Amino acid sequence: MKKILNKTELSHHIDALKAQGKSVGFVPTMGALHNGHLSLVNKGLEKNDLVVVSIFVNPTQFDNQEDLVKYPRTLDADVALLLTLSDTTIIVYAPSVEDIYEGNVKSQSFTFDGLEHEMEGAFRDGHFDGVGTIVKRLLEIVKPDFAYFGEKDFQQLQIIKKLVELHHIPVKIVGCTIHRAEDGLAMSSRNTRLTKEHRVIAPFIYKTLKTAKVKFGTKSAKDVTEWVEKQFKKQPLLELEYFIIADTKTLKPVKRKSTKKTYRAFIAVYAGDIRLIDNIALN
Ligand code: PAF
């Protein structure tokens, strides 16, 4: 498997492949790969001649230094996992901070039609400026035909679609359904940092989302939200940060339900020090 550490070498390699008419898929990751990532890479492999997987823990999207320091870094294991999918049609791009930021580790400032102010944007200061900065830079370096993002970070997915639209970046963004463990917990690199106790209780998050979906069929968003908040108060090992039912397009919290709109419920929960997010389509 080709492992490339710098952008100039990667660009040359990709330019040569594109000159041969090959299509390029792209899966940006922060490493600590799991089956959720592998399903994105597989989607990319179905549609493209080759898939670039970037592995880069992007410092500018962390609002919490400790989270950045403790973020799992497992490059050798990541490469070994990707090898189980393909040796010849995957390129790993694992740049250094210097290769990406060239001595200026700062975010650009973005607006995304207001999507950036909701939920994760409200609770994680500067997060989407960091995500916008790295994704824009990576798309410019890799120049993929298709780029794949998981719906676990649904707000991120919507923001990246907006980024591409507003900045006229010639790539098709493909959203992929959430990959879950057998017990329902959404796959996340952070899951490996859960204590045994927290890992056992964490599927409660998705279980609650599923019941909230059923309740939303007959109850108001306010009633469902109050019900969810009550469930988490009874759960001492998990601390609810937010549960919000929002319009799928604008991500604004729903005030009055309309049959013409689609909604999604979004949740952020602390399991000890580990912050987990999840979401579910409601209609
Ligand atoms: O979803 C992620 O892992 C990251 O936010 C991304 C898209 C790789 C940017 O660093």
Side-chain angles (χ1 to χ4, degrees):
M1 175 172 301
K2 201 151 186 71
K3 202 167 97 193
I4 296 181
L5 305 178
N6 80 76
K7 57 178 179 290
T8 313
E9 190 188 337
L10 182 71
S11 274
H12 286 155
H13 195 71
I14 290 174
D15 288 348
L17 289 162
K18 288 205 146 186
Q20 297 165 27
K22 303 227 180 233
S23 67
V24 177
F26 178 41
V27 179
T29 82
M30 297 206 296
L33 301 185
H34 48 68
N35 285 338
H37 294 114
L38 297 192
S39 71
L40 301 184
V41 179
N42 268 329
K43 261 213 147 161
L45 288 170
E46 278 165 24
K47 181 102 188 155
N48 302 277
D49 296 309
L50 79 145
V51 172
V52 176
V53 178
S54 65
I55 296 180
F56 179 64
V57 182
N58 172 36
T60 64
Q61 72 186 74
F62 285 80
D63 58 325
N64 175 333
Q65 266 314 104
E66 199 186 327
D67 195 22
L68 170 62
V69 172
K70 290 201 175 151
Y71 203 87
R73 288 156 172 89
T74 55
L75 185 57
D76 290 344
D78 294 343
V79 170
L81 262 185
L82 291 170
L83 269 170
T84 65
L85 302 187
S86 165
D87 188 5
T88 52
T89 54
I90 298 176
I91 298 174
V92 172
Y93 173 45
S96 61
V97 172
E98 178 57 30
D99 189 52
I100 293 289
Y101 284 100
E102 299 174 347
N104 185 24
V105 189
K106 281 214 173 83
S107 299
Q108 228 178 297
S109 175
F110 290 94
T111 54
F112 299 109
D113 283 357
L115 295 174
E116 72 279 16
H117 300 311
E118 308 300 331
M119 299 178 292
E120 293 299 284
F123 283 90
R124 300 182 67 188
D125 199 23
H127 174 65
F128 286 123
D129 280 341
V131 170
T133 301
I134 185 63
V135 172
K136 185 165 177 282
R137 205 154 291 186
L138 288 170
L139 290 174
E140 284 160 1
I141 295 169
V142 179
K143 298 189 242 29
D145 300 287
F146 295 89
Y148 299 83
F149 294 85
E151 285 186 347
K152 184 178 79 67
D153 298 289
F154 190 85
Q155 185 175 13
Q156 168 174 280
L157 168 65
Q158 299 298 72
I159 279 181
I160 287 161
K161 285 183 178 164
K162 191 57 79 180
L163 169 85
V164 161
E165 178 196 321
L166 295 176
H167 294 265
H168 311 289
I169 304 172
V171 59
K172 171 105 177 60
I173 302 299
V174 184
C176 305
T177 49
I178 300 174
H179 216 78
R180 297 184 181 281
E182 255 174 42
D183 58 14
L185 179 64
M187 295 262 181
S188 163
S189 304
R190 289 190 173 87
N191 293 353
T192 58
R193 290 174 51 209
L194 292 168
T195 64
K196 237 185 184 165
E197 253 186 325
H198 285 126
R199 177 63 189 83
V200 169
I201 199 66
F204 179 80
I205 299 168
Y206 182 52
K207 207 169 143 234
T208 309
L209 283 182
K210 281 196 296 186
T211 311
K213 176 178 175 141
V214 174
K215 289 189 180 290
F216 190 67
T218 54
K219 292 186 189 310
S220 69
K222 184 166 173 278
D223 285 351
V224 177
T225 305
E226 281 170 8
W227 177 82
V228 169
E229 287 168 355
K230 222 189 247 167
Q231 303 317 300
F232 277 90
K233 286 216 176 88
K234 291 188 247 169
Q235 195 48 264
L237 283 174
L238 299 175
E239 193 194 325
L240 180 66
E241 184 170 53
Y242 66 74
F243 171 85
I244 293 172
I245 297 179
D247 182 304
T248 305
K249 250 184 148 169
T250 64
L251 300 182
K252 295 228 176 299
V254 53
K255 291 217 175 84
R256 192 177 303 172
K257 271 202 271 188
S258 153
T259 49
K260 294 194 189 89
K261 292 188 172 165
T262 61
Y263 300 105
R264 249 179 137 93
F266 296 86
I267 195 164
V269 172
Y270 276 96
D273 295 340
I274 311 303
R275 189 172 181 277
L276 301 171
I277 61 170
D278 202 347
N279 65 84
I280 192 168
L282 295 177
N283 61 338

